[in-house]
């Protein structure tokens, strides 16, 4: 597609359920990021992939959060045993640049809004 | 944690006026970027300024960077109602990520 595609756009989960959020980046973009954005706040870094390699997962808040990008294209962010504080918008972004040695703009998807009841 | 802070947190101006937003960051950078986010949407890249640059222009946008003060400003000239959005600065350094600020909510009224 022409842009970064995320699904689902909206997800409501009961506390304790597992959720999976999908990101389809722009074709050919080697870099892929996941960010978490709480209401009224800026995006907070979760994890970074360069092709299929997860080079930085320092932002994942707990071991309940897991991300993968097995073929260097589509990525999935999985949250196990969801809790109310996980409620946020999860943004995926891709880039041609290989961070940190190169720099470039990020192309963001529309986000997946997760509400945990 | 957020790398930067935007100032002001919220700004309301009339169409045709200029809007200035400021960003401060904490660590050394090699570039600083500005993004716009319309309500309920993803972020859109506006402009990138490298650490060896002091000023950059793109259309109605003017960005300045002062690395000695660890600060940047975004000026939008002749604002339009369509400029209503949240604006974020993002610092790029030696880490493999961009670190975003807290954002400025801009409201442009007719």
């Amino acid at each position: 597609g022409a842009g970064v595609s995320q699904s689902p756009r909206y997800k409501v989960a009961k506390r304790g359920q597992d959720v999976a959020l999908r990101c389809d980046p722009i074709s050919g973009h080697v870099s892929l990021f996941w960010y978490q954005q709480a209401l009224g706040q800026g995006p907070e870094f979760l994890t970074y992939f360069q092709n299929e390699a997860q080079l930085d997962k320092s932002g994942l808040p707990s071991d309940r959060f897991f991300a993968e990008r097995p073929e260097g294209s589509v990525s999935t962010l999985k949250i196990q045993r969801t809790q109310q504080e996980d409620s946020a918008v999860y943004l995926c972004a891709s880039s041609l640049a290989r961070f940190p040695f190169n720099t470039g703009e990020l192309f963001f998807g529309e986000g997946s809004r997760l509400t945990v009841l | 944690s957020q790398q930067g802070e935007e100032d002001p947190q919220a700004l309301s101006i009339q169409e045709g006026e200029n809007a200035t937003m400021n960003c401060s960051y904490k660590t050394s950078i090699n570039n600083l970027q500005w993004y716009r986010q319309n309500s309920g949407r993803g972020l859109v890249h506006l402009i990138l300024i490298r650490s060896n640059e002091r000023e950059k222009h793109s259309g109605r946008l003017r960005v300045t960077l002062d690395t000695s003060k660890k600060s940047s400003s975004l000026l939008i000239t002749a604002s339009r109602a369509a400029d209503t959005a949240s604006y974020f600065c993002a610092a790029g350094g030696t880490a493999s990520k961009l670190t975003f600020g807290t954002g400025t909510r801009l409201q442009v009224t007719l």
Side-chain angles (χ1 to χ4, degrees):
Chain A
V4 178
S5 178
Q6 291 189 246
S7 61
R9 286 293 316 278
Y10 303 93
K11 176 69 178 178
V12 178
K14 291 183 179 179
R15 191 176 57 176
Q17 281 186 331
D18 298 348
V19 300
L21 308 176
R22 176 189 169 104
C23 173
D24 203 338
I26 294 172
S27 179
H29 280 196
V30 298
S31 290
L32 186 146
F33 296 82
W34 283 99
Y35 282 84
Q36 180 190 60
Q37 186 175 27
L39 189 63
Q41 299 295 312
E44 292 266 8
F45 171 80
L46 293 177
T47 187
Y48 166 64
F49 290 87
Q50 194 173 106
N51 296 307
E52 69 278 4
Q54 188 175 21
L55 298 187
D56 189 341
K57 54 182 181 179
S58 61
L60 296 176
S62 76
D63 58 9
R64 297 185 296 104
F65 286 71
F66 172 77
E68 61 182 3
R69 193 186 184 198
E71 297 178 358
S73 179
V74 171
S75 177
T76 304
L77 176 66
K78 297 178 180 177
I79 309 173
Q80 296 178 322
R81 304 181 303 281
T82 52
Q83 300 178 4
Q84 285 188 321
E85 61 261 31
D86 300 334
S87 294
V89 175
Y90 291 86
L91 295 166
C92 176
S94 69
S95 178
L96 281 170
R98 296 174 185 267
F99 290 73
F101 302 109
N102 301 127
T103 193
E105 65 180 282
L106 300 187
F107 294 82
F108 280 84
E110 300 276 87
S112 291
R113 181 179 296 276
L114 172 66
T115 302
V116 182
L117 303 177
Chain B
S1 60
Q2 309 278 178
Q3 157 75 288
E5 292 187 1
E6 274 93 339
D7 163 48
Q9 290 188 337
L11 178 61
S12 183
I13 59 173
Q14 290 192 320
E15 202 171 47
E17 294 181 334
N18 296 341
T20 300
M21 289 159 263
N22 303 296
C23 164
S24 61
Y25 56 91
K26 298 174 184 174
T27 61
S28 296
I29 62 168
N30 54 39
N31 75 96
L32 189 131
Q33 303 183 31
W34 285 88
Y35 287 78
R36 183 186 74 207
Q37 185 177 36
N38 289 85
S39 181
R41 309 297 294 274
L43 284 80
V44 175
H45 180 264
L46 294 176
I47 195 166
L48 181 155
I49 186 165
R50 298 182 188 278
S51 58
N52 60 355
E53 298 174 308
R54 290 296 168 259
E55 187 171 310
K56 200 163 184 179
H57 298 254
S58 176
R60 294 184 296 113
L61 304 180
R62 172 178 169 257
V63 169
T64 62
L65 179 64
D66 187 335
T67 53
S68 67
K69 295 181 180 178
K70 290 187 166 58
S71 67
S72 174
S73 68
L74 172 67
L75 168 68
I76 304 174
T77 60
S79 62
R80 306 166 181 167
D83 295 328
T84 295
S86 291
Y87 291 81
F88 296 91
C89 66
T94 56
S96 54
K97 61 188 179 184
L98 286 181
T99 306
F100 285 82
T102 52
T104 293
R105 294 186 306 280
L106 174 65
Q107 176 76 44
V108 181
T109 57
L110 295 172

